[in-house]
Amino acid sequence: MPTYCEAENLANLIPRITQVLNDSAISAEIIVVHDQSPDGIADLCQTLSQSSPLHLITRENERGLSTAVIAGMDAASAEILMVMDADLSHPPETIPELYFALKNQQADFVIGSRYVNGGSTDETWGWFRKFNSKIATWMARPFTTVKDPMAGFFALHRQDFLNAREILNPVGYKIGLELMVKCRCRNIIEIPIHFTDRTQGSSKLSFKEQINYLKHLKRLFEFKYRNYAYFAQFAVIGCSGVVVNLMALSLLLNWLNRPVAIAVAIWISMSTNFLLNRNITFSYARYAPILKQYLGYCSSCLLGAFFNWLTTMVLCSSITYFEKRTLLAALIGIVVGMTFNFILCRYFVFSK
Ligand code: GDD
């Protein structure tokens, strides 16, 4: 439970959770992560821990909901991890439903959802809050189709968390979305809950956190779709290489014999492609030693050219349809060669 200035709520919530755990025979540890809340939380937790399996973590120099959740997960040892707010917004009575859904239904991730059938929020939500929530939910669409990706009440397997631990870098509030995407959760179940507005204390969701959400979406986008973005840039640069090649060839033919002119034109376009890919497509690797990269690039292009040639030849000689359609076969060959080049560049020449 990420917690900042929630002593009043915790005094009510921890006994309720403990009761639920006892009633459903779930053996669990309640980890509360607070960031030096100046509200006597340490003394309160000391008292509560006499009747509850409570573990308080105090972070000295850090703030933030998402990183607090990660700190709590790092400290947990159970096989199933569950996260909920400390402000009584999420009904602790639903804990067993989430827990058993994850355990028994082979789910990767379970959400206590406000927006699935049967779920709800307080009637007091004004149109602006509803609109804000809908827009934020809609903006998460490229990453998941669940109805409530913004939820702060969810459960997952600890092993999935550990597998993704190194690549977690959330900014802002949406740790659930971060985990769903980075843990590559496929089978996600939503359990309906009623989301109650807090009655004690105040929300820490500021305008800055809304901006952080946009930054977070950008990071997730780069994470999930980066290979498509790289490939698109690689393809555009590949097309520019065709133009460079033809222009160079038409000039060189004035001075050199044809076989040499063709070879030099290929080398020029290969070199301009290399420089553009190094500085644009794979700019993350532009500080690596250039000569080694260049040699690697040229060798990988030679292999790509070979696969291009091979594909074209195989299509023309073994499929009747392509016998008289050499150009079409060559085009397919170019795509195959380019894809091959791309894979070699991405994972070997310009590897991180
Ligand atoms: N440790 C720590 N550090 N905890 C924090 C911090 C922080 O900087 N900021 C917030 N929390 C804790 C709060 O004490 C609370 O238990 C929980 O995180 C949620 O924070 P709220 O400030 O109450 O969030 P909210 O009610 O506006 O947002 C709710 O709705 C979102 C969905 O729209 C929460 O349920 C979010 O988790 C949820 O994503």
Side-chain angles (χ1 to χ4, degrees):
M1 246 185 301
T3 305
Y4 189 73
C5 295
E6 305 284 6
E8 281 167 315
N9 288 319
L10 279 181
N12 184 342
L13 180 61
I14 299 292
R16 268 174 72 184
I17 295 179
T18 308
Q19 183 70 48
V20 169
L21 294 176
N22 290 341
D23 290 350
S24 50
I26 296 174
S27 157
E29 177 187 25
I30 308 170
I31 300 177
V32 172
V33 184
H34 88 109
D35 302 341
Q36 291 187 303
S37 312
D39 59 353
I41 186 176
D43 291 341
L44 173 73
C45 285
Q46 178 69 32
T47 312
L48 290 172
S49 65
Q50 285 160 17
S51 49
S52 295
L54 186 59
H55 173 186
L56 178 69
I57 295 176
T58 304
R59 300 195 304 168
E60 300 293 340
N61 300 314
E62 232 180 322
R63 271 292 309 265
L65 191 161
S66 292
T67 53
V69 168
I70 292 177
M73 290 184 162
D74 280 338
S77 54
E79 276 174 27
I80 287 179
L81 306 174
M82 191 175 293
V83 177
M84 72 191 302
D85 292 344
D87 59 0
L88 295 164
S89 292
H90 303 136
E93 290 69 28
T94 331
I95 288 175
E97 246 189 289
L98 267 75
Y99 175 82
F100 288 113
L102 192 79
K103 208 169 173 206
N104 301 338
Q105 293 185 36
Q106 294 178 330
D108 299 327
F109 201 92
V110 178
I111 297 173
S113 174
R114 297 164 291 177
Y115 300 135
V116 79
N117 268 351
S120 54
T121 58
D122 274 354
E123 302 276 307
T124 47
W125 277 35
W127 72 267
F128 183 71
R129 190 167 174 194
K130 282 186 192 155
F131 178 73
N132 208 2
S133 180
K134 285 280 168 228
I135 292 283
T137 301
W138 176 79
M139 287 169 83
R141 271 284 163 269
F143 310 107
T144 175
T145 52
V146 299
K147 296 259 187 314
D148 195 357
M150 306 289 104
F153 187 22
F154 55 83
L156 74 163
H157 298 279
R158 179 160 173 270
Q159 193 53 53
D160 288 338
F161 163 72
L162 292 179
N163 292 345
R165 178 65 184 86
E166 289 301 309
I167 52 170
L168 297 176
N169 62 346
V171 46
Y173 258 39
K174 301 306 160 195
I175 180 65
L177 181 62
E178 170 86 0
L179 288 165
M180 265 183 266
V181 174
K182 300 264 174 91
C183 298
R184 299 183 192 280
C185 298
R186 301 261 178 273
N187 187 8
I188 303 177
I189 295 178
E190 292 186 80
I191 306 275
I193 61 156
H194 177 73
F195 183 95
T196 314
D197 280 340
R198 59 162 72 239
T199 53
Q200 305 288 337
S202 58
S203 167
K204 286 94 201 168
L205 182 57
S206 58
F207 179 68
K208 185 171 160 243
E209 291 301 346
Q210 314 241 21
I211 299 295
N212 279 339
Y213 178 54
L214 297 180
K215 289 186 188 160
H216 189 195
L217 289 180
K218 181 175 175 287
R219 282 190 193 178
L220 289 177
F221 198 84
E222 282 166 1
F223 170 79
K224 191 156 181 186
Y225 297 106
R226 68 186 159 186
N227 275 341
Y228 297 105
Y230 289 150
F231 188 75
Q233 293 174 68
F234 192 80
V236 170
I237 289 172
C239 294
S240 80
V242 175
V243 177
V244 170
N245 186 320
L246 294 180
M247 281 169 55
L249 186 59
S250 62
L251 278 176
L252 290 168
L253 281 172
N254 295 321
W255 302 295
L256 302 172
N257 65 34
R258 186 176 298 165
V260 178
I262 292 174
V264 175
I266 288 176
W267 172 73
I268 291 175
S269 59
M270 206 153 74
S271 302
T272 54
N273 277 7
F274 167 76
L275 288 174
L276 290 172
N277 276 318
R278 185 172 199 267
N279 288 295
I280 299 173
T281 317
F282 306 110
S283 59
Y284 57 78
R286 69 181 175 281
Y287 299 114
I290 190 166
L291 189 64
K292 189 171 160 232
Q293 254 181 2
Y294 182 60
L295 292 176
Y297 183 81
C298 290
S299 337
S300 71
C301 285
L302 287 180
L303 272 173
F306 172 71
F307 275 99
N308 176 350
W309 177 84
L310 192 69
T311 308
T312 313
M313 290 303 293
V314 168
L315 286 176
C316 290
S317 57
S318 58
I319 301 178
T320 329
Y321 178 80
F322 286 108
E323 261 170 26
K324 291 201 169 68
R325 293 179 173 87
T326 315
L327 282 185
L328 189 58
L331 200 64
I332 296 172
I334 286 172
V335 173
V336 171
M338 198 172 87
T339 306
F340 192 78
N341 274 349
F342 171 73
I343 292 169
L344 285 180
C345 283
R346 170 79 177 92
Y347 294 107
F348 295 99
V349 182
F350 298 103
S351 63
K352 282 190 187 179

